[in-house]
Amino acid sequence: MADDKKIIFSMVGVSKTYPPQKQVLKNIYLSFFYGAKIGIIGLNGSGKSSLLKIIAGIDKDYQGEVVFSPGYSVGYLEQDPQLDPSKTVIEVVREGVQPIMDLLAEYDSVNAAFGDPDVLEDPDKMEALLARQAAQWTPCSVRPTTSPSAHSPAASAVEWLSYACCYSSPTCCCSTSPPTTSTPSQSTGSNNTCANMPAQ
């Protein structure tokens, strides 16, 4: 059976009630194909978060059956994650993508070394540096369908980072509520803001 026709998750007759008698889910049936991208939309309090917690295996207090095919795992990004208040937003984000941050740091280190006179004058050092550069292509061997712009290194790094975060998992499920307000605002620079904003 082709992967895109394979059902990897099923929810059968699932209901969820909060004390004393608030039922947020009633007799839910769901099945997810491998590779599916699924959105759950509803009003506040309609049970979106409850449903995702059941799918993630966090909430086990429900009626019905939830089945995952063997060999698959679940990741869950909390709506209100427990963050370290001593760290800034950018520090918390970097922790979540530490392997990518390490790769970018190595990339910067290799680029800086190409300007070192000692490296330029020593064939052995240059060969070792080129080997380090070649090794960087291994984790980047799968690329986005749209190539990053060669004229915008900063944008390219963001595109690679976004690609690595968003496409590392073939199947995803997310939820949202319809917006109640819309306040247009001009960006003032996420780097400076995130670097100084405490994580809460």
Side-chain angles (χ1 to χ4, degrees):
M1 181 184 295
D3 282 341
D4 61 349
K5 302 299 182 184
K6 181 179 181 180
I7 294 176
I8 64 170
F9 170 83
S10 294
M11 177 177 282
V12 181
V14 169
S15 298
K16 172 70 180 180
T17 302
Y18 289 100
Q21 293 293 329
K22 180 176 175 57
Q23 187 173 48
V24 293
L25 301 174
K26 183 178 180 181
N27 204 30
I28 302 295
Y29 286 76
L30 291 174
S31 292
F32 296 164
F33 285 111
Y34 177 86
K37 305 295 185 286
I38 300 161
I40 302 170
I41 302 174
L43 298 173
N44 290 336
S46 61
K48 303 182 303 297
S49 295
S50 298
L51 181 63
L52 290 179
K53 286 179 181 178
I54 292 172
I55 293 173
I58 296 171
D59 186 353
K60 301 184 182 300
D61 184 18
Y62 59 87
Q63 296 77 47
E65 185 179 9
V66 173
V67 179
F68 266 97
S69 295
Y72 294 94
S73 60
V74 183
Y76 178 71
L77 177 61
E78 295 182 79
Q79 185 173 355
D80 298 306
Q82 302 301 311
L83 303 177
D84 185 345
S86 68
K87 296 180 180 178
T88 63
V89 172
I90 194 67
E91 288 172 337
V92 172
V93 172
R94 284 173 176 164
E95 282 184 355
V97 290
Q98 193 60 54
I100 299 171
M101 297 307 301
D102 293 342
L103 180 62
L104 292 174
E106 172 70 1
Y107 174 83
D108 290 339
S109 174
V110 169
N111 279 347
F114 276 116
D116 186 344
D118 290 339
V119 173
L120 297 175
E121 296 171 4
D122 188 326
D124 291 336
K125 289 183 179 179
M126 177 59 74
E127 185 175 346
L129 187 60
L130 290 172
R132 281 178 61 191
Q133 184 187 51
Q136 291 178 335
W137 285 104
T138 301
C140 296
S141 58
V142 180
R143 306 184 184 184
T145 53
T146 302
S147 298
S149 170
H151 302 290
S152 178
S156 298
V158 171
E159 288 178 33
W160 280 112
L161 187 60
S162 300
Y163 176 76
C165 293
C166 297
Y167 291 90
S168 58
S169 175
T171 304
C172 70
C173 183
C174 61
S175 73
T176 184
S177 299
T180 54
T181 59
S182 177
T183 309
S185 62
Q186 185 174 2
S187 173
T188 56
S190 59
N191 258 354
N192 292 335
T193 302
C194 293
N196 298 302
M197 182 185 297
Q200 299 180 10

